[in-house]
Amino acid sequence: MTEVNPLLNGTLAGKIAQKLDAADGKKDGKINASIWNEFVADKGGKTIKESIDVVAAMNSITTYAVKNAATADKAVNDLAKEWLGAEAPAPAEGNETPAPAQTNPDEQTPPTVDEAQTAKDAESVKVTVPKAAKPTNKAEVDSIIKNQKAGREVADKIKNAFNAFAQARTSENLNQLENALKLINKDNVIYVVEYFPDVIDKIHEFRYKQDDVIKYILTPLGEKGDDANFSIGEGEQKMTRSQFYEKSAKRWSFNAMKSEIKSLSKDIASKERQVKDDYTTNLKAYNNAPKVQKTFDDANKLLAEVANMNPKPEITKGEGWANAKLPDGRWIEVKYGSNGEIEKILVSHDTTPNVKPDGSSFDGAEISYSKNEASYDINKNNFGYEGSITRGYDFEKLKALAQKIFG
């Protein structure tokens, strides 16, 4: 008996290849060039001159589906189903008599799915992804980015001016240095200190006067502290940073002044970076919300479909886990607690490989459910989950659906 590659009957790509094979009226394990070239014309595939073996065609179709799905922002299986459902190319012209459909005695009857119950079950476990508000502080973040850039540029100018003055103490270089120091203001001072940490020592050494440090660094830093609400004291003793510096700074030692400058600069810079990070996180959550919702919907649809499938797919079991894998590569896995109850449900409805940091790949789950958290992966080009939600889903209902699969 001729051995038939099981993937031809068990995967969408295999079924597409077989459909193309039969399109010339003769299912002989080869696809004619005219039929194949027409199929790949809009998919970025390679054309052929004579014919292509049906198994080789299946492998190529898998590759094209992965690439086209990424471009079209679709799940690989959804796109493959579209291709499979498309009308097959017309039979080639000629005088060949269409051969009767060939059957494989070893081929298993495809499982049936109760579509009505599947839709009902999918709706019963529908996840409501919490809506993310669009951040409204873009202007503030843009200003922070602008000040960071300005701080680096001013720091470089001051550094270069000090180097030039150290090599030649000319009046021209002195003017260049003083003009560079005058570029420091309340908006960029914290980043000048960050990008040129020695600037405080350099200014002090310039004329051995703490007044220069107060003038060029501490005064604008006090104004920045005022803007950032870094006040001093409580109640009647409370005062702004600029008031505090004006009252006290002249009595400080140089080291005390230097310590204050570095400490406050670091605190304000950290606060601004947190504003930037929060904005980026919130904007990403806002933009990704529709994709996250679709990922949960697709995962639950597969869960409901397999729960209402007859017969069920082959189930593999191990210590504390069980896995159901479909012929097309999609899979569902559950993990059990010490009491035998399901504690976690993982679903992979998209077989696009995940890429590890070392370049290797694996097919990871897009969704992971547990009682307290549901994690999601909407970007297959990463190693782990991108985020999670802690509300908007019913784990007990999901568990009940999984039990219809695994018992």
Side-chain angles (χ1 to χ4, degrees), residues 210-225:
Q210 290 185 195
D211 286 350
D212 286 343
V213 178
I214 293 174
K215 174 182 177 181
Y216 291 117
I217 301 291
L218 200 63
T219 297
L221 180 61
E223 294 172 354
K224 180 68 175 180

Side-chain angles (χ1 to χ4, degrees), residues 129-138 277-294 376 378 386-389:
V129 176
K131 291 184 178 180
K134 186 176 182 179
T136 58
N137 60 330
K138 184 178 185 301
D277 292 344
D278 289 346
Y279 175 84
T280 301
T281 300
N282 293 336
L283 182 62
K284 183 178 180 180
Y286 173 79
N287 290 333
N288 284 342
K291 291 183 180 180
V292 174
Q293 183 66 64
K294 186 177 186 304
Y376 56 83
I378 60 173
E386 290 181 284
S388 64
I389 60 174

Side-chain angles (χ1 to χ4, degrees), residues 105-210:
D106 293 334
E107 182 177 341
Q108 295 181 351
T109 303
T112 59
V113 177
D114 185 337
E115 299 291 349
Q117 189 61 42
T118 294
K120 183 178 179 180
D121 285 344
E123 183 63 28
S124 73
V125 294
K126 184 175 178 62
V127 172
T128 302
V129 176
K131 291 184 178 180
K134 186 176 182 179
T136 58
N137 60 330
K138 184 178 185 301
E140 179 185 12
V141 172
D142 288 344
S143 177
I144 291 172
I145 295 172
K146 178 182 176 182
N147 293 335
Q148 286 178 313
K149 181 180 178 182
R152 184 183 292 275
E153 292 174 350
V154 171
D156 288 340
K157 289 181 180 179
I158 295 172
K159 188 183 298 184
N160 293 335
F162 268 121
N163 291 338
F165 187 70
Q167 294 175 10
R169 292 177 173 265
T170 64
S171 58
E172 181 180 354
N173 286 343
L174 176 60
N175 288 334
Q176 180 183 355
L177 175 56
E178 290 181 335
N179 288 334
L181 291 172
K182 290 177 182 178
L183 295 174
I184 301 174
N185 57 41
K186 67 173 184 175
D187 295 323
N188 62 39
V189 61
I190 60 175
Y191 298 111
V192 171
V193 173
E194 179 177 86
Y195 295 129
F196 186 17
D198 293 337
V199 66
I200 307 167
D201 294 294
K202 290 291 185 182
I203 293 174
H204 185 249
E205 294 168 3
F206 175 37
R207 282 187 289 236
Y208 295 99
K209 292 174 62 178
Q210 290 185 195

